Amino acid sequence: MHSAEGLYRFWRERALCTVIVSVEPEAEAPVLLAGVRDEFVTRPWMSPAPYWSEYPGLVGGRDLMAGGTWLAADPAGRRVAALLNGRGALASQEIRRSRGDLPLRAAVAGELPPVDLPAYDPFHLVVGGLDGVRIWSWNGERLTEEKLPAGVHMLVNTGWERGDDNPRVSYFRSRFAAAVRPRWPGSGSTERFWGEWLPLASGAGLAHDDPRALLVRQRLEDGRIFATLSVTLIALSEGGMRYDFCPQPEDPSSWHEVRTPG
């Protein structure tokens, strides 16, 4: 299970990592995004900050192994880009590069920038701005692009889930859709701003081994632990960006606002 192929088989069997997006063009905050990051607990990372001198103004958590990120925010541009690992043909080991640069480049460009796609393992890239939300999906052979309509949508490693076959999607999509959307201005505590979205993004009290669970923790056969390492909430508005982060999903009190420029 230490090879890329072994990890790929693991991901094929479990729909891990999740992005929830609410699009309401006429709302005060037309785009809301919740990003749940699942990873091996031993993979080092740092909480969101403006780490990248080559991408001034961008804020995101930093993966210390590859140097990139799983979610990048551009407060001045009112944009966010989130990455999910996909399924399909893996890139050749000789040319493979980390997917962690994709959110950074996309947050700057507002779209998937020109890249050497065969050098990347499969991915789903979600890019949101005041003009809407689009998804680029690469399965190792073919690239697709879709724009999300108004409503609440969920993406997992299989991509944009439109049906109810996935128990996590079936359980959470309707609940996020029924929750009162946060309104701008974006001041106040995390609890006050996000309201009904916060307990949902915190897992809604479901146990890790519940097939509907949003937050996971699993021990693999080789003893390693794969778990939800963090959760992010982003609201985009003409008035600014609201960015909240939970670095310890086991402890909901660790939620805090990430101060951003712009």
Side-chain angles (χ1 to χ4, degrees):
M1 287 290 288
H2 286 274
S3 67
E5 288 73 15
L7 296 183
Y8 177 61
R9 287 195 298 272
F10 173 66
W11 284 318
R12 279 182 64 94
E13 296 169 2
R14 301 164 174 85
L16 299 171
C17 289
T18 306
V19 170
I20 301 106
V21 180
S22 177
V23 181
E24 292 294 342
E26 304 304 318
E28 291 179 277
V31 174
L32 306 175
L33 183 145
V36 179
R37 183 189 183 222
D38 301 330
E39 189 46 274
F40 287 104
V41 298
T42 54
R43 184 160 184 149
W45 59 282
M46 295 176 68
S47 291
Y51 294 109
W52 301 275
S53 59
E54 65 271 39
Y55 301 107
L58 294 193
V59 179
R62 188 179 186 189
D63 173 31
L64 295 180
M65 183 175 293
T69 188
W70 56 94
L71 184 149
D74 177 5
R78 313 293 193 264
R79 283 194 295 270
V80 60
L83 180 75
L84 292 138
N85 293 336
R87 297 180 179 180
L90 298 176
S92 170
Q93 186 66 41
E94 291 74 23
I95 63 170
R96 178 180 291 132
R97 61 179 299 167
S98 169
R99 290 166 288 196
D101 69 327
L102 294 173
L104 296 165
R105 298 171 68 180
V108 171
E111 61 183 1
L112 175 66
V115 296
D116 181 19
L117 284 170
Y120 292 92
D121 287 343
F123 64 80
H124 304 288
L125 182 67
V126 184
V127 181
L130 297 181
D131 58 348
V133 180
R134 288 182 289 171
I135 309 162
W136 284 266
S137 295
W138 166 248
N139 66 2
E141 299 176 348
R142 178 171 174 263
L143 179 70
T144 61
E145 176 186 351
E146 297 177 283
K147 185 168 184 177
L148 295 180
V152 172
H153 310 280
M154 291 185 65
L155 296 98
V156 293
N157 297 115
T158 54
W160 178 14
E161 287 286 344
R162 297 170 175 84
D164 290 319
D165 293 338
N166 183 305
R168 178 186 306 166
V169 173
S170 177
Y171 183 83
F172 278 96
R173 183 169 52 201
S174 61
R175 284 165 173 77
F176 273 101
V180 176
R181 298 179 91 257
R183 299 178 61 186
W184 212 259
S187 60
S189 67
T190 300
E191 293 81 0
R192 181 172 181 178
F193 179 79
W194 287 100
E196 295 178 7
W197 269 58
L198 190 63
L200 291 172
S202 299
L206 296 181
H208 294 318
D209 58 357
D210 190 311
R212 304 167 298 174
L214 186 66
L215 310 183
V216 302
R217 188 175 184 87
Q218 303 181 42
R219 183 178 295 274
L220 276 64
E221 293 180 359
D222 63 6
R224 290 182 297 166
I225 298 174
F226 196 88
T228 300
L229 300 189
S230 66
V231 186
T232 301
L233 285 168
I234 299 275
L236 302 180
S237 166
E238 291 283 359
M241 171 184 288
R242 174 77 190 213
Y243 189 154
D244 290 86
F245 187 72
C246 182
Q248 301 176 55
E250 298 283 351
D251 178 12
S253 69
S254 67
W255 275 105
H256 63 275
E257 181 179 1
V258 177
R259 298 297 179 179
T260 60

